Amino acid sequence: MPNRRVTVKNSRFESGKTNIAVPVTGVTPDEILNQLRRALAVEPDVIEWRIDFFKQVLNQSVYMDLAKTINRLIDDTVLLTTFRTTHEGGASNLVDTDYYAPCRWILENHLTDMIDIEFNRDKKTVADLIKLAHHQHIPVILSNHDFQATPDQQTLISRFQQMAARNADIAKIAVMPQNSQDVLTLLTATTIANQKLTIPLISMSMGELGKISRITGPQFGSTLSFATVGQASAPGQLSVEDVRKSFKILN
């Protein structure tokens, strides 16, 4: 079953090709813009703006002004906007209504090229956000993170399938390994899910044990690897330089 390609600006998301994303995690506008400029200097495919770190994320006028500046600076690089909650390892412990509101006006005002929406939230609200995103022609990454363990292979495959069934454009799963077998479980599940599904997938095994999963996307089917320029936003992230070198070696 061929995988559907998702194209955003000049970047293609498809099995066999892995793009590189650099997270921006500043808490103030100045920090965010300084991190953004450093990130853009290494020419990643994607900038992931982790808005859960931004202290004024709920101030719509401040956010919109900053987002417009970012979109001007980012040019042809893809902007992925992610509002990660503490449930999924993020910095935001806001109530659900405060999580959903910024997502809505980000989509309504087309302030991003792609958006990450958490899979394990209210199904109806998530469905409404996906519908709004698609109306705005903004691809959705449905994401799920487990910072404690790695589910079994069939659970991971089933989770990818559920994300596809709920109209995700790209499905993302990140898990924490306890041993090397857990890493193999994640890689195997990604490979099998890629054969079963038509949407692109993102997967990673976090921490030191899982580092190999961040550089084997082209082989196992993960279409995006998150790498650092400065501070990491998740355990086990490698630098952009190291990821690029590894891609060249393995390919």
Side-chain angles (χ1 to χ4, degrees):
M1 183 182 293
N3 285 68
R4 188 179 77 238
R5 174 188 296 177
V6 175
T7 302
V8 186
K9 290 182 174 175
N10 296 323
S11 293
R12 301 191 323 274
F13 299 84
E14 59 185 336
S15 182
K17 180 181 188 299
T18 303
N19 294 304
I20 296 176
V22 173
V24 169
T25 59
V27 300
T28 67
D30 284 345
E31 282 184 9
I32 290 164
L33 292 174
N34 286 337
Q35 287 185 20
L36 176 66
R37 291 185 178 97
R38 290 199 301 272
L40 289 172
V42 301
E43 299 182 342
D45 304 290
V46 177
I47 293 290
E48 183 192 35
W49 185 11
R50 285 285 303 273
I51 63 173
D52 48 300
F53 285 92
F54 182 31
K55 295 299 186 184
Q56 292 177 279
V57 67
L58 297 182
N59 186 323
Q60 185 172 353
S61 62
V62 171
Y63 182 96
M64 289 182 68
D65 286 345
L66 180 57
K68 288 173 182 176
T69 300
I70 288 171
N71 276 282
R72 284 196 299 270
L73 291 172
I74 211 167
D75 197 23
D76 289 333
T77 308
V78 174
L79 176 62
L80 165 62
T81 302
T82 298
F83 197 169
R84 184 71 66 233
T85 67
T86 52
H87 301 289
E88 302 268 344
S92 170
N93 58 0
L94 299 173
V95 297
D96 278 0
T97 51
D98 286 338
Y99 170 79
Y100 297 131
C103 293
R104 284 195 181 91
W105 41 259
I106 287 166
L107 294 171
E108 288 168 351
N109 293 280
H110 215 293
L111 297 175
T112 191
D113 300 312
M114 305 176 75
I115 192 165
D116 178 298
I117 299 174
E118 293 176 353
F119 173 67
N120 283 331
R121 309 208 61 95
D122 178 72
K123 283 188 177 181
K124 184 182 184 307
T125 308
V126 168
D128 288 344
L129 288 174
I130 293 172
K131 185 177 180 180
L132 174 59
H134 289 167
H135 178 73
Q136 298 289 78
H137 305 290
I138 296 172
V140 173
I141 298 175
L142 266 187
S143 64
N144 177 243
H145 300 72
D146 189 331
F147 279 78
Q148 304 304 316
T150 299
D152 63 73
Q153 178 178 300
Q154 190 50 51
T155 298
L156 292 170
I157 295 169
S158 174
R159 205 164 289 172
F160 277 130
Q161 291 172 322
Q162 291 174 59
M163 292 176 178
R166 290 172 61 181
N167 294 319
D169 297 286
I170 300 174
K172 176 190 175 188
I173 292 178
V175 294
M176 185 65 73
Q178 303 302 316
N179 50 55
S180 57
Q181 181 59 51
D182 282 347
V183 181
L184 291 174
T185 296
L186 183 278
L187 295 175
T188 303
T190 306
T191 301
I192 294 172
N194 258 298
Q195 295 166 354
K196 291 177 177 287
L197 300 174
T198 60
I199 65 170
L201 308 178
I202 301 168
S203 71
M204 67 209 67
S205 189
M206 295 182 284
E208 293 297 312
L209 271 174
K211 280 184 175 179
I212 191 171
S213 70
R214 297 181 180 275
I215 61 173
T216 53
Q219 289 74 32
F220 292 93
S222 178
T223 64
L224 190 63
S225 184
F226 295 81
T228 65
V229 176
Q231 182 180 355
S233 65
Q237 281 182 357
L238 301 166
S239 71
V240 172
E241 182 182 9
D242 285 343
V243 171
R244 283 189 173 138
K245 285 180 181 177
S246 300
F247 282 172
K248 287 180 180 179
I249 293 169
L250 292 176
N251 286 311

